[in-house]
Amino acid sequence: MPRPTAAQLVYGSCTVIFSTLAMLLLSQTSSSLGIVLITFSALALGLLVAMTVPMPKPSPSATAAVVRERVPARRETASVPVSLSASVPASVSASSAPEPVREPAGP
């Protein structure tokens, strides 16, 4: 779960404080049950506001570093027929054949 940003903390806190004050002043309640109900509803409203604040998008350079090229797990190698390899000198066929490349496994 990502950490909340400064904007989320500020918006959520201000919502809790101002909505609590507004509801207490408008309802003019003096009972402890009314105060507790208003407090919890203000906390829920503040949480809702904090969670709906849009998260910042990652920079393009950060996403480019994460994107990796997909490499197939198994590569097909070209096989030389026996009749052709017998007619070609060993020095030519060994130098022109591609060397196998070992690459690290993907994530």
Side-chain angles (χ1 to χ4, degrees), residues 24-46:
L24 284 173
L25 290 173
L26 291 174
S27 67
Q28 296 179 353
T29 186
S30 58
S31 69
S32 59
L33 180 63
I35 294 172
V36 168
L37 186 67
I38 288 173
T39 303
F40 279 122
S41 63
L43 284 172
L45 184 63

Side-chain angles (χ1 to χ4, degrees), residues 28-80:
Q28 296 179 353
T29 186
S30 58
S31 69
S32 59
L33 180 63
I35 294 172
V36 168
L37 186 67
I38 288 173
T39 303
F40 279 122
S41 63
L43 284 172
L45 184 63
L47 183 64
L48 178 70
V49 168
M51 296 310 286
T52 56
V53 172
M55 295 291 287
K57 305 229 182 221
S59 64
S61 62
T63 57
V66 174
V67 175
R68 293 185 180 150
E69 182 180 331
R70 299 263 181 207
V71 178
R74 181 178 165 200
R75 294 187 181 185
E76 297 294 325
T77 58
S79 60
V80 179

